[in-house]
Amino acid sequence: MKKFYGIFLSLILLFLGACQGQEDMQFKIAFTEGGNIKVGEKVTLKGQAIGEVRDVSLDERNNVVVTVLIPKEHKQRVYRESIFSIQSPNG
């Protein structure tokens, strides 16, 4: 069985940059480990999809940089004071 990993929103969000206004929100998150994150995987909050992974890369310090897109209809659910974590769907 293929393992699936996604990005799940926790209580506190740390993001490097975000779009403003009525547009979709896209930003980058740096992790020390990537957990096999792949482009196209869902970003979820409390089990509901609110966005997707748009890009995965390494920075100069070998951190995994994940670019996520949150559509405008869900961006009110994401706060500057929240953080993302990487978890498997089973916990």
Side-chain angles (χ1 to χ4, degrees):
M1 183 173 176
K2 181 180 173 185
K3 285 190 176 182
F4 169 82
Y5 290 89
I7 297 179
F8 294 83
L9 190 61
S10 293
L11 296 175
I12 305 178
L13 161 77
L14 172 63
F15 61 87
L16 302 178
C19 296
Q20 301 296 321
Q22 299 299 317
E23 302 298 318
D24 295 343
M25 180 187 303
Q26 182 169 299
F27 49 93
K28 296 180 180 186
I29 311 160
F31 295 101
T32 55
E33 296 183 28
N36 289 330
I37 292 294
K38 294 177 181 58
V39 172
E41 291 187 327
K42 294 178 182 169
V43 176
T44 62
L45 172 63
K46 297 183 180 179
Q48 295 192 4
I50 63 165
E52 72 175 28
V53 174
R54 297 302 286 244
D55 187 54
V56 180
S57 61
L58 291 175
D59 67 11
E60 64 280 349
R61 294 184 176 150
N62 285 328
N63 290 313
V64 178
V65 179
V66 179
T67 303
V68 299
L69 177 75
I70 308 294
K72 61 185 174 185
E73 61 267 17
H74 294 297
K75 74 183 220 177
Q76 76 280 1
R77 302 172 88 184
V78 178
Y79 300 94
R80 190 177 260 315
E81 296 81 21
S82 306
I83 58 174
F84 284 96
S85 62
I86 300 174
Q87 301 175 343
S88 72
N90 300 325

